[in-house]
Amino acid sequence: MVAADSEGSKDPGVRQADLGLLVHWCVLPFRVLLVLTSHRGIQMFESDGSIMVYWHALDSGDASPVQAVFARGIAASGHFICVGTWSGRVLVFDIPAKGPNIVLSEELAGHQTPITDIATERAQGQDCVADMVTADDSGLLCVWRSGPEFKLLTRIPGFGVPCPSVQLWQGTVAAGYGNGQVRLYEASTGTLHVQINAHARAICALDLAPEVGKLLSAAEDTFVHIWKLSRSPESVSIEAAPLL
């Protein structure tokens, strides 16, 4: 059992996910950590939850008294763990092979509104490859190359609605939006390949089975859909076919 810092808003209309109370298993090359976020900070535990190895308090900085402070969006990339924040910054933590000597190595500043989600994909040793995408409340997507210094490769503009969930598959960004759309972009260029009016209400989450190229979307309309992703051999563009 893990004791999370769960004190937060008493407003019944505010969901815990909106406050950034999230839990995520981060699988690194040499260890697995359990990462929790709340409005107060970021906690990292050993995989069995027995020992908290790191605590990072959130700095409210220039936030106004009525502005919520939280961390939201968690993903592992190589030996780094990346966590999004209310300010739009992404915190990058350098994780050692063992022990508690975790270091905040970098803060990525590609967004101006709160981070909603982060997705990563193993780069498999390729140079200049896009292996991380971050999304925010404005719908903006930032595509990054991870490494000792993360590099911003491209920005994919929003269109006035939030992007609550993103996934990466073979260099393709799958993004789910507040208007029910799923969009597929080329990660390296930001080119839009597919736009699907997938749901009648806002998308809550996307999930991916990368080995078989299946994308799942769940939304506030209570429906779950499954899509088969593939690359057209003629045009090398991405295609999505409904399965459910």
Side-chain angles (χ1 to χ4, degrees):
M1 180 180 293
V2 174
D5 178 5
S6 60
E7 181 184 345
S9 172
K10 301 302 187 291
D11 183 349
V14 177
R15 300 176 300 176
Q16 290 301 309
D18 295 331
L19 293 173
L21 183 57
L22 299 175
V23 183
H24 187 72
W25 294 104
C26 287
V27 180
L28 305 163
F30 36 73
R31 70 194 294 188
V32 178
L33 292 181
L34 179 63
V35 181
L36 289 79
T37 68
S38 73
H39 73 292
R40 289 187 175 180
I42 301 160
Q43 297 168 277
M44 299 186 188
F45 294 83
E46 293 290 5
S47 58
D48 60 1
S50 61
I51 301 172
M52 185 173 73
V53 295
Y54 187 73
W55 161 261
H56 179 84
L58 292 177
D59 182 6
S60 60
D62 298 328
S64 68
V66 298
Q67 188 170 15
V69 175
F70 56 85
R72 185 172 60 189
I74 309 167
S77 181
H79 59 91
F80 300 101
I81 290 178
C82 302
V83 182
T85 67
W86 61 274
S87 67
R89 290 185 174 268
V90 177
L91 308 181
V92 179
F93 298 94
D94 193 346
I95 311 298
K98 61 180 180 179
N101 297 322
I102 295 170
V103 176
L104 175 61
S105 61
E106 194 173 357
E107 295 188 24
L108 308 180
H111 297 269
Q112 300 298 319
T113 59
I115 300 297
T116 54
D117 198 18
I118 303 175
T120 58
E121 180 179 39
R122 183 173 295 182
Q124 299 177 340
Q126 302 175 60
D127 293 330
C128 301
V129 69
D131 59 2
M132 186 174 85
V133 59
T134 52
D136 70 21
D137 271 344
S138 74
L140 171 70
L141 307 178
C142 289
V143 180
W144 309 83
R145 185 184 72 220
S146 65
E149 292 187 3
F150 281 59
K151 181 179 179 180
L152 178 61
L153 299 180
T154 188
R155 285 186 174 91
I156 301 174
F159 51 96
V161 295
C163 178
S165 188
V166 286
Q167 292 288 336
L168 264 176
W169 179 75
Q170 296 185 5
T172 299
V173 177
Y177 291 93
N179 63 354
Q181 286 186 350
V182 173
R183 295 187 173 195
L184 304 180
Y185 300 93
E186 190 70 34
S188 58
T189 63
T191 301
L192 176 64
H193 285 296
V194 178
Q195 177 178 306
I196 309 167
N197 294 320
H199 293 271
R201 297 186 66 183
I203 289 177
C204 302
L206 299 178
D207 203 358
L208 184 68
E211 297 83 2
V212 293
K214 291 183 179 179
L215 179 71
L216 180 147
S217 60
E220 292 180 358
D221 60 6
T222 73
F223 284 93
V224 172
H225 295 309
I226 300 176
W227 314 87
K228 174 62 176 176
L229 307 182
S230 61
R231 284 190 177 272
S232 169
E234 293 82 12
S235 61
V236 199
S237 63
I238 300 297
E239 299 176 348
L243 296 178
L244 176 65

